[in-house]
Amino acid sequence: MSGAPYIRVGFLGFGTVGSGAYRMLEDNREAIARKVGAEIEVVRIGVRDEAKKRCASPSLLTTDLGSVVDHREIDVIVEAMGGLDPAGELIERALRRGKHVVTANKELIARRGAELVGLAARQGLDLHYEAAVGGGIPLIQPIKHQLAGNDILRMAGILNGTTNLILSRMTDEGEPLETVLAEAQGKGYAEADPSSDVDGHDVQFKLAILSSVAFGKAVRPEQIYREGIRGIEQADIAYAKTLGYVIKLLGIVEAVEGGSILGRVHPTLLPKAHPLAAVGGVYNALCLRGDFVGDVTFMGRGAGGEATGSAVVGDLIDVCRNMRIGGSGDAAPFSGEANARPIEELTSAYYVRVVVPDRPLVLGAIATIFGRRNVSLSAMEMRVIDTKLNHGEIAFLTHRCLEADLRQAVEELRHAPEVLRVCNWIRVETL
Ligand SMILES: NC(=O)c1ccc[n+]([C@@H]2O[C@H](COP(=O)([O-])OP(=O)(O)OC[C@H]3O[C@@H](n4cnc5c(N)ncnc54)[C@H](OP(=O)(O)O)[C@@H]3O)[C@@H](O)[C@H]2O)c1
């Protein structure tokens, strides 16, 4: 588009996401210029190691990241470096210097989103972070715009591709978690330190961001209950299968009475007919329920340079269009802090697996313990696991009950003479 005005962009970070976004800007340059009504020109790229081979001209690279945010001609900063600092300081500095910001940084937005979005709003600038949740799947913008008229009642999602891949492999190949995790690390799907994925921190950050946008109040990661997948054994997957379920790591948040929310990240038994049950491998998906729109499901590639780059470029185009019409300040600040309820107040169905001596009256004693705590049973599977010792294993499903009651029942089972071991208990999603 010759003669079109230029919008100048500076990148902070040029790894998987940064270079993915850059390649999209290069490959689709003409179409993007047509849609924006201006040429988007990347004029500076901040990296750690200038000597690395990149898909951009070496003349654009610098290790002086401050010089990118201070650059007089740069209108928009794309932050794709990750981590809290220096990324946080640099974004703050860019906003104070009057530059719009697009970021993919989930940890930073989950921890400092309210403050940075507030700063952007006061400055009349855009701060977009679509890429921080769900990779290439549009989630933040649809919730912020098209679905904004709804009261969001509930969101449940598969928001981490690595753990979804691990659980899919465990289900399909019957391998234990350690074997599948080591293989995923070998192939580069899982980090050398897998804690962020496997222990659920990554989903906790993403759910905090989604909840803040959906409920319009800042939700801190610590306000969301978190459990990872390390405790999932092959036996749980096998019982789940027999009972008609698959196990997935879900992030779930719901609006509860009095304007509060209850957010949680944990492995979940999902009925095979649930829309999220078929989401396998590295894919992500989110089911959202609004009071007027009803149920909406989003699905797509939750990570990777191209998918995440697509979300970054989408945000960048939005910022550039706003600039072209002289409007901005679409930062949509949150109004105060959300009130989050503790997990003990959750009402859910549960799966409980125990090892017992195979003798009369055991089943009755266990049912009595559940019953005393208002927990009623809906299904059961049992098998002999040691014929010499005469040990059996039972997997129970409960009807919906209060988590505080379920926890007390489990505690009592742990000390009951009729129970040798409580192996696991997992929340169950109903249709
Ligand atoms: N990867 C994904 O699929 C994905 C999906 C959604 C969101 N995200 C988020 O996107 C962000 C970037 O992730 P990524 O996977 O693209 O990371 P990455 O491949 O490790 O790239 C990070 C980039 O930032 C640069 N960098 C990091 N720290 C720096 C510092 N202190 N000074 C100068 N440069 C620095 C690195 O420079 P060098 O190249 O010189 O090392 C590299 O270019 C993260 O916040 C991540 O959570 C990633």
Side-chain angles (χ1 to χ4, degrees):
M1 254 180 74
S2 65
Y6 278 95
I7 292 177
R8 293 184 174 83
V9 177
F11 273 52
L12 302 173
F14 205 68
T16 307
V17 175
S19 61
Y22 181 85
R23 276 191 290 116
M24 189 180 209
L25 287 172
E26 286 297 303
D27 289 0
N28 299 348
R29 175 176 276 278
E30 272 192 25
I32 291 172
R34 224 174 24 249
K35 290 174 191 172
V36 174
E39 296 267 5
I40 296 178
E41 193 189 1
V42 178
V43 297
R44 213 107 187 85
I45 298 173
V47 291
R48 194 188 274 130
D49 176 3
E50 252 179 282
K52 259 191 212 171
K53 204 166 153 32
R54 321 259 177 186
C55 62
S57 160
S59 66
L60 297 178
L61 302 177
T62 177
T63 52
D64 179 1
L65 272 58
S67 74
V68 181
V69 292
D70 292 342
H71 197 296
R72 291 169 63 107
E73 288 181 357
I74 285 178
D75 308 290
V76 191
I77 294 291
V78 170
E79 187 273 306
M81 57 191 291
L84 288 178
D85 277 317
E89 289 163 22
L90 290 164
I91 288 181
E92 197 179 328
R93 187 157 140 192
L95 291 169
R96 292 196 191 284
R97 296 229 181 324
K99 298 177 195 314
H100 304 279
V101 173
V102 171
T103 175
N105 193 329
K106 67 203 117 185
E107 183 175 6
L108 181 67
I109 293 298
R111 294 212 178 279
R112 293 188 55 196
E115 170 205 337
L116 294 172
V117 166
L119 173 61
R122 286 195 301 281
Q123 295 283 87
L125 295 164
D126 284 334
L127 169 57
H128 286 329
Y129 44 90
E130 183 64 65
V133 186
I137 315 170
L139 294 174
I140 308 280
Q141 294 284 15
I143 295 172
K144 210 155 84 174
H145 296 286
Q146 287 78 13
L147 299 169
N150 287 266
D151 261 350
I152 305 297
L153 306 175
R154 188 174 210 273
M155 294 187 289
I158 293 172
L159 298 170
N160 181 274
T162 304
T163 44
N164 201 41
L165 184 76
I166 290 172
L167 291 171
S168 298
R169 290 257 167 93
M170 284 174 74
T171 305
D172 297 342
E173 289 156 27
E175 298 281 3
L177 187 129
E178 304 77 54
T179 310
V180 178
L181 175 59
E183 193 188 307
Q185 285 170 318
K187 290 187 176 162
Y189 298 125
E191 302 280 335
D193 174 5
S195 172
S196 169
D197 295 323
V198 171
D199 296 323
H201 298 281
D202 177 77
V203 180
Q204 191 184 36
F205 290 144
K206 291 168 175 170
L207 193 63
I209 297 173
L210 281 179
S211 304
S212 303
V213 176
F215 299 107
K217 288 180 186 267
V219 177
R220 284 178 287 108
E222 296 72 28
Q223 290 180 293
I224 288 172
Y225 174 83
R226 176 184 55 79
E227 252 176 54
I229 63 165
R230 288 191 205 261
I232 301 296
E233 295 177 15
Q234 266 305 326
D236 300 312
I237 289 178
Y239 281 115
K241 214 184 245 179
T242 311
L243 291 160
Y245 294 82
V246 292
I247 300 182
K248 299 278 188 192
L249 180 69
L250 293 195
I252 305 173
V253 63
E254 41 219 331
V256 292
E257 267 171 39
S260 301
I261 61 154
L262 203 164
R264 51 201 169 102
V265 175
H266 51 69
T268 311
L269 261 72
L270 271 179
K272 283 180 185 157
H274 193 285
L276 295 178
V279 178
V282 295
Y283 276 77
N284 281 196
L286 183 82
C287 293
L288 174 150
R289 183 170 299 157
D291 60 347
F292 274 65
V293 74
D295 289 331
V296 181
T297 300
F298 303 86
M299 186 187 151
R301 282 159 62 196
E306 292 191 348
T308 313
S310 155
V312 168
V313 171
D315 275 352
L316 188 55
I317 289 174
D318 209 29
V319 171
C320 294
R321 280 178 174 153
N322 279 345
M323 286 175 64
R324 289 280 293 141
I325 57 166
S328 57
D330 183 27
F334 313 129
S335 61
E337 274 230 344
N339 179 22
R341 304 307 308 163
I343 191 75
E344 287 75 11
E345 293 182 13
L346 175 72
T347 299
S348 174
Y350 296 85
Y351 154 98
V352 183
R353 176 164 64 93
V354 295
V355 172
V356 295
D358 194 1
R359 59 174 155 79
L361 301 180
V362 165
L363 213 50
I366 293 176
T368 304
I369 291 173
F370 277 122
R372 267 207 299 270
R373 301 294 176 182
N374 299 316
V375 180
S376 70
L377 302 171
S378 66
M380 181 180 92
E381 272 296 315
M382 54 202 292
R383 63 178 176 136
V384 175
I385 54 168
D386 191 325
T387 42
K388 268 196 207 134
L389 293 171
N390 214 20
H391 287 175
E393 189 173 53
I394 315 178
F396 297 98
L397 288 185
T398 76
H399 285 293
R400 284 166 67 81
C401 62
L402 191 64
E403 173 136 344
D405 289 339
L406 189 279
R407 284 175 180 251
Q408 285 189 332
V410 167
E411 225 16 66
E412 213 174 307
L413 288 174
R414 285 191 207 286
H415 299 103
E418 295 83 2
V419 175
L420 298 170
R421 192 156 63 93
V422 176
C423 309
N424 212 350
W425 60 275
I426 306 173
R427 296 166 194 87
V428 178
E429 189 78 344
T430 41
L431 277 173

